[in-house]
Coordinates of all heavy atoms in Angstrom, one line a residue:
L1 N -22.4 11.5 5.5 CA -21.5 12.4 4.8 C -20.2 12.4 5.3 O -20.0 12.6 6.6 CB -22.2 13.8 4.8 CG -23.4 14.0 3.9 CD1 -24.1 15.3 4.4 CD2 -23.0 14.1 2.5
D2 N -19.2 12.3 4.5 CA -17.7 12.3 4.9 C -17.0 13.4 4.2 O -17.4 14.0 3.2 CB -17.1 11.0 4.5 CG -17.6 9.8 5.3 OD1 -17.7 9.9 6.6 OD2 -18.1 8.8 4.7
S3 N -15.8 13.8 4.8 CA -15.1 14.9 4.3 C -14.3 14.4 3.0 O -13.9 13.3 2.9 CB -14.0 15.3 5.3 OG -14.5 15.9 6.4
V4 N -14.3 15.4 2.0 CA -13.5 15.1 0.8 C -12.2 15.9 0.8 O -12.3 17.1 0.8 CB -14.4 15.5 -0.4 CG1 -13.6 15.3 -1.7 CG2 -15.7 14.7 -0.6
I5 N -11.2 15.2 1.0 CA -9.9 15.8 1.1 C -9.5 16.6 -0.1 O -9.8 16.2 -1.3 CB -8.7 14.8 1.5 CG1 -7.5 15.5 2.0 CG2 -8.5 13.9 0.3 CD1 -7.7 16.2 3.3
D6 N -8.9 17.8 0.0 CA -8.6 18.7 -1.1 C -7.4 18.1 -1.9 O -7.3 18.3 -3.1 CB -8.3 20.1 -0.6 CG -9.4 20.7 0.1 OD1 -10.6 20.4 -0.3 OD2 -9.3 21.6 1.0
D7 N -6.5 17.5 -1.2 CA -5.3 17.0 -1.9 C -5.7 15.8 -2.8 O -6.2 14.8 -2.4 CB -4.3 16.4 -0.8 CG -3.0 16.1 -1.4 OD1 -2.9 15.3 -2.4 OD2 -2.0 16.5 -0.8
E8 N -5.5 16.0 -4.2 CA -5.9 15.1 -5.2 C -5.2 13.7 -5.0 O -5.8 12.6 -5.2 CB -5.7 15.6 -6.6 CG -6.4 14.8 -7.6 CD -8.0 15.0 -7.6 OE1 -8.4 16.0 -6.9 OE2 -8.7 14.2 -8.2
T9 N -3.9 13.8 -4.7 CA -3.1 12.5 -4.5 C -3.7 11.7 -3.3 O -3.9 10.5 -3.4 CB -1.6 12.8 -4.3 OG1 -1.1 13.6 -5.4 CG2 -0.8 11.6 -4.1
K10 N -3.9 12.4 -2.2 CA -4.5 11.7 -1.0 C -5.8 11.1 -1.4 O -6.2 10.0 -0.9 CB -4.6 12.6 0.2 CG -3.2 13.0 0.8 CD -3.4 13.9 2.0 CE -2.0 14.2 2.6 NZ -2.2 15.1 3.8
Y11 N -6.6 11.9 -2.1 CA -8.0 11.4 -2.4 C -7.9 10.2 -3.3 O -8.7 9.2 -3.1 CB -8.8 12.6 -3.2 CG -10.1 12.1 -3.7 CD1 -11.2 12.0 -2.9 CD2 -10.3 11.7 -5.0 CE1 -12.4 11.6 -3.3 CE2 -11.5 11.4 -5.5 CZ -12.6 11.3 -4.7 OH -13.8 10.9 -5.1
N12 N -7.0 10.1 -4.3 CA -7.0 9.0 -5.2 C -6.4 7.7 -4.4 O -7.0 6.6 -4.7 CB -6.0 9.3 -6.3 CG -6.7 10.2 -7.4 OD1 -7.9 10.2 -7.5 ND2 -5.9 11.1 -8.0
I13 N -5.6 7.9 -3.4 CA -5.1 6.8 -2.6 C -6.2 6.3 -1.8 O -6.5 5.1 -1.7 CB -3.9 7.2 -1.8 CG1 -2.7 7.5 -2.6 CG2 -3.5 6.1 -0.7 CD1 -1.5 8.1 -1.9
Q14 N -7.0 7.3 -1.2 CA -8.2 6.9 -0.3 C -9.2 6.1 -1.2 O -9.7 5.1 -0.8 CB -8.8 8.1 0.3 CG -10.0 7.9 1.1 CD -10.8 9.1 1.4 OE1 -10.6 10.1 0.7 NE2 -11.6 9.1 2.5
K15 N -9.4 6.6 -2.4 CA -10.4 6.0 -3.3 C -10.0 4.6 -3.6 O -10.8 3.7 -3.7 CB -10.6 6.8 -4.5 CG -11.6 6.3 -5.5 CD -11.8 7.3 -6.7 CE -10.6 7.4 -7.5 NZ -10.9 8.2 -8.7
K16 N -8.7 4.4 -3.9 CA -8.2 3.1 -4.3 C -8.3 2.1 -3.2 O -8.8 0.9 -3.4 CB -6.7 3.2 -4.8 CG -6.1 1.9 -5.2 CD -4.7 2.1 -5.7 CE -4.0 0.9 -6.2 NZ -2.7 1.1 -6.7
R17 N -8.0 2.5 -2.0 CA -8.1 1.6 -0.8 C -9.6 1.3 -0.5 O -9.9 0.2 -0.2 CB -7.4 2.3 0.4 CG -5.9 2.2 0.3 CD -5.3 3.0 1.5 NE -5.8 2.5 2.8 CZ -5.3 1.4 3.4 NH1 -4.3 0.7 2.8 NH2 -5.7 1.0 4.6
A18 N -10.4 2.3 -0.5 CA -11.9 2.0 -0.3 C -12.4 1.1 -1.4 O -13.2 0.2 -1.0 CB -12.6 3.3 -0.4
K19 N -12.0 1.2 -2.6 CA -12.5 0.4 -3.7 C -12.0 -1.1 -3.4 O -12.8 -2.0 -3.7 CB -12.0 0.9 -5.0 CG -12.5 0.1 -6.2 CD -12.1 0.7 -7.5 CE -12.6 0.0 -8.7 NZ -12.1 0.6 -10.0
K20 N -10.8 -1.3 -3.0 CA -10.2 -2.6 -2.7 C -11.1 -3.3 -1.6 O -11.4 -4.4 -1.7 CB -8.8 -2.4 -2.2 CG -8.2 -3.8 -1.9 CD -6.7 -3.6 -1.4 CE -6.7 -3.1 0.1 NZ -5.4 -3.1 0.6
F21 N -11.3 -2.6 -0.4 CA -12.1 -3.1 0.7 C -13.5 -3.5 0.3 O -14.0 -4.5 0.6 CB -12.0 -2.2 1.9 CG -10.6 -2.1 2.5 CD1 -10.2 -0.9 2.9 CD2 -9.9 -3.2 2.8 CE1 -8.9 -0.7 3.5 CE2 -8.7 -3.1 3.3 CZ -8.1 -1.8 3.7
R22 N -14.1 -2.6 -0.6 CA -15.5 -2.8 -1.0 C -15.5 -4.1 -1.9 O -16.4 -4.9 -1.8 CB -16.0 -1.6 -1.8 CG -17.5 -1.8 -2.2 CD -18.1 -0.4 -2.5 NE -19.5 -0.6 -2.5 CZ -20.4 0.4 -2.2 NH1 -19.9 1.6 -1.9 NH2 -21.7 0.2 -2.2
S23 N -14.5 -4.2 -2.7 CA -14.4 -5.4 -3.7 C -14.3 -6.7 -2.8 O -15.0 -7.7 -3.1 CB -13.3 -5.2 -4.6 OG -13.2 -6.4 -5.4
I24 N -13.5 -6.7 -1.8 CA -13.3 -7.8 -1.0 C -14.6 -8.3 -0.3 O -15.0 -9.4 -0.3 CB -12.1 -7.6 0.1 CG1 -10.8 -7.5 -0.7 CG2 -12.1 -8.8 1.0 CD1 -9.6 -7.1 0.2
Y25 N -15.2 -7.3 0.4 CA -16.4 -7.7 1.2 C -17.6 -8.1 0.3 O -18.4 -8.9 0.6 CB -16.8 -6.6 2.2 CG -17.6 -5.4 1.7 CD1 -18.9 -5.5 1.2 CD2 -17.1 -4.1 1.8 CE1 -19.6 -4.5 0.8 CE2 -17.8 -3.0 1.4 CZ -19.0 -3.2 0.9 OH -19.8 -2.1 0.5
T26 N -17.6 -7.5 -1.0 CA -18.6 -7.9 -1.9 C -18.4 -9.3 -2.4 O -19.4 -10.1 -2.4 CB -18.7 -6.9 -3.1 OG1 -18.9 -5.6 -2.7 CG2 -19.8 -7.3 -4.1
K27 N -17.2 -9.7 -2.7 CA -16.9 -11.0 -3.1 C -17.1 -12.1 -2.0 O -17.7 -13.1 -2.2 CB -15.5 -11.1 -3.6 CG -15.3 -10.4 -4.9 CD -13.8 -10.4 -5.3 CE -13.6 -9.7 -6.6 NZ -12.2 -9.6 -7.0
L28 N -16.8 -11.7 -0.8 CA -16.9 -12.6 0.4 C -18.4 -12.8 0.7 O -18.9 -13.9 1.0 CB -16.2 -12.1 1.6 CG -14.7 -12.2 1.6 CD1 -14.0 -11.6 2.8 CD2 -14.2 -13.6 1.4
S29 N -19.2 -11.7 0.6 CA -20.6 -11.8 0.8 C -21.3 -12.6 -0.2 O -22.3 -13.3 0.1 CB -21.2 -10.3 0.8 OG -20.7 -9.6 1.9
A30 N -20.9 -12.6 -1.4 CA -21.5 -13.5 -2.5 C -21.3 -14.9 -2.2 O -22.1 -15.7 -2.7 CB -20.8 -13.1 -3.8
L31 N -20.3 -15.2 -1.3 CA -20.1 -16.6 -0.9 C -20.8 -17.0 0.3 O -20.9 -18.1 0.7 CB -18.6 -16.9 -0.9 CG -17.8 -16.8 -2.1 CD1 -16.3 -16.9 -1.9 CD2 -18.2 -17.9 -3.1
T32 N -21.3 -16.0 1.1 CA -21.8 -16.2 2.4 C -23.3 -15.6 2.5 O -24.2 -16.2 2.2 CB -20.9 -15.6 3.5 OG1 -20.6 -14.2 3.2 CG2 -19.6 -16.3 3.5
T33 N -23.3 -14.3 2.9 CA -24.6 -13.7 3.3 C -25.4 -13.4 2.0 O -26.7 -13.3 2.2 CB -24.4 -12.4 4.1 OG1 -23.5 -11.6 3.4 CG2 -23.8 -12.8 5.5
R34 N -24.8 -13.2 0.9 CA -25.6 -12.8 -0.3 C -25.6 -14.0 -1.3 O -25.9 -13.9 -2.5 CB -25.0 -11.6 -1.0 CG -25.4 -10.3 -0.3 CD -24.8 -9.1 -1.0 NE -25.3 -8.8 -2.3 CZ -26.3 -7.9 -2.4 NH1 -26.9 -7.3 -1.4 NH2 -26.8 -7.6 -3.6

């Protein structure tokens, strides 16, 4: 469980960055471990 920041702008930036990193590791894993 992680903290959900109250500031909507900060939350959306955090969500966008997390989505980007998740997309990268998913694509790289599809070429390697998955």
Side-chain angles (χ1 to χ4, degrees):
L1 285 163
D2 294 307
S3 295
V4 178
I5 194 69
D6 298 330
D7 188 308
E8 196 70 19
T9 300
K10 289 182 178 179
Y11 175 78
N12 286 329
I13 293 172
Q14 180 193 20
K15 178 175 69 174
K16 183 178 180 180
R17 285 175 55 82
K19 186 176 180 180
K20 179 186 73 172
F21 291 134
R22 184 163 198 150
S23 176
I24 292 173
Y25 82 66
T26 299
K27 290 176 181 176
L28 290 177
S29 294
L31 296 171
T32 54
T33 54
R34 283 178 75 92

